[in-house]
Amino acid sequence: MLEIVPLELGELATNTYLITDSDTREAAVIDPAGDGQVILAQAKRYYCRIEQIWCTHAHFDHIGGVGELARVLETAPVIALHPADRPLWQLQGGASLLGHFLPTTPVPTLDLAEGMELRLGGTVFEVRHTPGHTPGHCIYYCASAGVCFCGDLIFQDSVGRTDLPGGNWDTLVTSIRSQVFSLPDETRLLPGHGPETMVGQEKKHNPFVRA
Ligand SMILES: [Zn+2]
Ligand SMILES: [Zn+2]
C-alpha cells in the first residue's frame, strides 16, 4: 500500500511529498522543495528509506532541496527528471531570474519518458509527460492508489503559469485534457501548491480548462 506524507517547504510554499511502500518501507520524495534535513527526519519518523527523488519539473521551488537531501542520505539516490527540463536544471531552475539562490544540486541520474514505469516496492507509477508549464514537466500516476502527483500542471480551480521561459498555454491545456482528464474522475490530484483536488471536480469546475 502507498503511504503519503505531504510537507510544505521552501520560500514559495511548495508541496513536497514523501511517499513510501508500506511493505518494503522503500521511499521516494517528489519535488524536494527545501530542507533536506526536515525530509530526512520525516523519513525516519515513518521508518522508511529514501532511495529515489522524482522531480515533476526543474523550477527552483521544486528542486531547491535536492542538493541537501542527496547529501544527507547514506546512499546516493536516483534523481529522475525529463531531459527536456535539463537546460532549466542547469540554470538552477531559474532561481537567479526570480531573485533567489540555489545551492549546488547534483545532476539527474534517470531520464524520464512518456509511459515509463517507476516502482516503489510493489507499487507502480506511470510517468506522463505533460509539457506547457515547462517543456519537461511530468506527472506521476499511481492507478492502484488512485492518486496523481501533478506538480505545477493543474491546481484546485487553477492551472500552472505559462509566462516563464519554456511555457506554452496551448500545450498546457492539451496536456491537462489528454493526460489528466483521461484519468478516472475519482483520482486524487496532489499538486505542487495548494490543497488536493480530484479529476472529476476539476473537469467540472476549473475555470481554465472545464470540459
Ligand atoms: Zn513550476
Ligand atoms: Zn511551483
Side-chain angles (χ1 to χ4, degrees):
M1 214 182 83
L2 183 69
E3 288 175 19
I4 303 168
V5 181
L7 305 163
E8 200 182 78
L9 299 173
E11 291 169 69
L12 298 187
T14 303
N15 291 327
T16 292
Y17 299 97
L18 171 66
I19 59 173
T20 181
D21 178 86
S22 57
D23 296 323
T24 64
R25 309 314 296 170
E26 285 166 70
V29 179
I30 297 177
D31 290 349
D35 303 301
Q37 294 284 7
V38 171
I39 300 169
L40 181 65
Q42 289 295 318
K44 287 190 170 147
R45 198 173 147 215
Y46 287 89
Y47 302 102
C48 59
R49 280 183 325 280
I50 298 170
E51 295 173 346
Q52 309 185 55
I53 293 173
W54 300 346
C55 298
T56 57
H57 64 298
H59 276 149
F60 75 94
D61 61 312
H62 293 253
I63 66 170
V66 171
E68 192 189 9
L69 181 59
R71 276 193 297 280
V72 297
L73 294 177
E74 278 167 33
T75 35
V78 168
I79 301 175
L81 182 80
H82 192 285
D85 261 22
R86 279 273 189 141
L88 185 57
W89 184 283
Q90 276 146 10
L91 292 170
Q92 301 194 314
S96 56
L97 269 181
L98 296 158
H100 293 262
F101 169 77
L102 207 63
T104 310
T105 304
V107 290
T109 58
L110 176 67
D111 283 345
L112 296 173
E114 165 66 22
M116 185 184 258
E117 279 192 354
L118 297 177
R119 279 169 191 275
L120 201 61
T123 311
V124 180
F125 293 78
E126 178 193 336
V127 175
R128 294 185 163 215
H129 182 213
T130 52
H133 177 65
T134 64
H137 194 289
C138 287
I139 60 176
Y140 301 97
Y141 173 55
C142 178
S144 62
V147 52
C148 181
F149 297 89
C150 56
D152 286 359
L153 177 63
I154 183 167
F155 307 110
Q156 184 188 74
D157 294 330
S158 187
V159 296
R161 57 192 285 188
T162 55
D163 59 324
L164 294 169
N168 183 290
W169 174 256
D170 291 339
T171 311
L172 182 94
V173 171
T174 302
S175 288
I176 292 171
R177 296 221 166 107
S178 63
Q179 300 281 43
V180 178
F181 287 178
S182 56
L183 299 173
D185 278 357
E186 61 280 9
T187 307
R188 292 168 65 196
L189 292 174
L190 300 185
H193 304 273
E196 76 169 84
T197 181
M198 281 178 126
V199 170
Q201 184 181 332
E202 295 313 309
K203 263 191 198 166
K204 243 190 235 159
H205 301 294
N206 192 305
F208 299 94
V209 282
R210 255 189 315 236

